[in-house]
Amino acid sequence: MFTGAVSLAQQDAQFTQYMYNTININPAYAGSRGVMSIFGLHRTQWVGLDGAPVTNAFSVNTPINNSNVGVGLSFVNDRIGPTNENVISADVSYTIQTSEVMKLSFGLKASANLFNLDASRLNPAEADPNLQDISSKFSPNIGAGVYWHGDQFYAGLSVPNFFQTTAYSDNDFSVYKERMNIYLITGYVMDLSHAIKFKPALLTKMVTGSPLQIDVSANFLIHEKFVLGAAYRWDAAVSGMAGFQITDGLFLGYGYDFETTRLRHYNSGSHEFFLRFELFNKFDRITTPRFF
């Protein structure tokens, strides 16, 4: 007579190569690379599964002249089944020197969320007849983060969205409810030889009402040009990653996820491509690319 069920789903857009896309989850990262950084990413998740997530992200962040201030602007489009969500964010950071080799950055994020639901894409036999189309449902939000970093180590704690938002609800149900996501990231770069650098990294994501998500990764930078690595998402997926530093300012990366859950029987994995372009001048040109 009584039954219960638990449904688990991702909230914010999910990225395997978050370590190159940190600005989306932590506003304190803005300007931390010391140059203008332009980033674009395309992710196709669970290929072959109808209605699976497809994500496109674009961001640009830069320090302001020789000041301690950094700014950033990002855009994320996330399509899942009949829903289409666009998030536009503006970030600002302020950095202080805490030691000869470490800096501490504080960041604020302001975002605008536009949520769309196309009810016609739902299965008529299973869809709730009360559901109607939602067009550009607007929800503002704010977030904050801290980022402690040097040449070899980094750690960050952030909450991109403080406010819980609901795209559509009445007394009985809600179509989509955005909860607060808490991110903890850390990583360390060590020199294995004059030609190889090794970077283990960790991302922990906490969302109320969902299980703890832990991503552990390990990447090798070879001759300052090639990146090879692997990652494990706790009880979810294993990933392979590769990258190539085409020029001093242009970096291309690819990641592939293989599901470890029963969902692997219904899809052929997830693909992620990104391109990062950084603008240098004769004063801030670096001799070797930073590994995070």
Side-chain angles (χ1 to χ4, degrees), residues 13 23 67 72 79 89 120 146 152 154 161 183-184 198 208 224 244 251-252 260 274 276:
I23 189 69
S67 71
R79 290 181 284 128
S89 302
S120 66
V146 292
Q152 293 183 292
Y154 69 90
N161 298 303
Y183 293 90
L184 173 65
F198 173 59
T208 56
E224 307 290 354
F244 178 58
F251 184 73
L252 175 68
T260 58
F274 76 84
R276 184 180 67 196

Side-chain angles (χ1 to χ4, degrees), residues 63-102:
I64 300 298
N65 296 326
N66 295 317
S67 71
N68 295 327
V69 177
V71 294
L73 185 67
S74 60
F75 170 79
V76 177
N77 172 258
D78 201 23
R79 290 181 284 128
I80 306 176
T83 67
N84 190 336
E85 183 181 15
N86 294 295
V87 180
I88 303 172
S89 302
D91 306 284
V92 61
S93 70
Y94 184 81
T95 300
I96 60 175
Q97 194 85 32
T98 59
S99 71
E100 291 185 2
V101 295
M102 299 298 293

Side-chain angles (χ1 to χ4, degrees), residues 51-273:
V54 176
T55 305
N56 291 287
F58 175 82
S59 67
V60 56
N61 73 93
T62 183
I64 300 298
N65 296 326
N66 295 317
S67 71
N68 295 327
V69 177
V71 294
L73 185 67
S74 60
F75 170 79
V76 177
N77 172 258
D78 201 23
R79 290 181 284 128
I80 306 176
T83 67
N84 190 336
E85 183 181 15
N86 294 295
V87 180
I88 303 172
S89 302
D91 306 284
V92 61
S93 70
Y94 184 81
T95 300
I96 60 175
Q97 194 85 32
T98 59
S99 71
E100 291 185 2
V101 295
M102 299 298 293
K103 297 178 180 180
L104 181 63
S105 301
F106 303 88
L108 293 174
K109 179 185 290 287
S111 59
N113 183 301
L114 298 174
F115 181 84
N116 297 272
L117 169 66
D118 183 0
S120 66
R121 297 188 59 189
L122 295 170
N123 187 331
E126 300 175 356
D128 190 312
N130 295 313
L131 280 179
Q132 298 179 352
D133 289 350
I134 301 173
S135 179
S136 298
K137 168 69 175 180
F138 173 74
S139 301
N141 220 314
I142 59 172
V146 292
Y147 183 62
W148 190 43
H149 57 100
D151 290 335
Q152 293 183 292
F153 174 80
Y154 69 90
L157 179 67
S158 60
V159 180
N161 298 303
F162 280 118
F163 303 141
Q164 177 175 288
T165 59
T166 302
Y168 178 89
S169 66
D170 59 18
N171 293 329
D172 299 317
F173 65 92
S174 62
V175 170
Y176 177 82
K177 183 176 289 186
E178 174 74 18
R179 299 181 184 273
M180 186 170 68
N181 291 247
I182 304 172
Y183 293 90
L184 173 65
I185 60 172
T186 187
Y188 182 77
V189 179
M190 61 186 77
D191 294 321
L192 298 184
S193 71
H194 72 280
I196 301 176
K197 293 182 179 180
F198 173 59
K199 182 185 68 176
L202 172 73
L203 176 145
T204 301
K205 177 181 176 182
M206 294 160 280
V207 185
T208 56
S210 296
L212 182 69
Q213 177 181 313
I214 299 175
D215 285 37
V216 180
S217 64
N219 281 283
F220 295 88
L221 176 61
I222 305 167
H223 290 294
E224 307 290 354
K225 286 290 185 181
F226 302 97
V227 175
L228 292 175
Y232 175 67
R233 184 172 301 118
W234 185 265
D235 200 25
V238 293
S239 308
M241 295 173 286
F244 178 58
Q245 192 77 42
I246 302 171
T247 67
D248 285 346
L250 191 62
F251 184 73
L252 175 68
Y254 168 75
Y256 174 79
D257 295 354
F258 176 79
E259 292 294 313
T260 58
T261 67
R262 286 179 295 176
L263 195 61
R264 68 181 182 274
H265 300 299
Y266 307 98
N267 72 89
S268 57
S270 304
H271 300 273
E272 194 173 279
F273 302 87

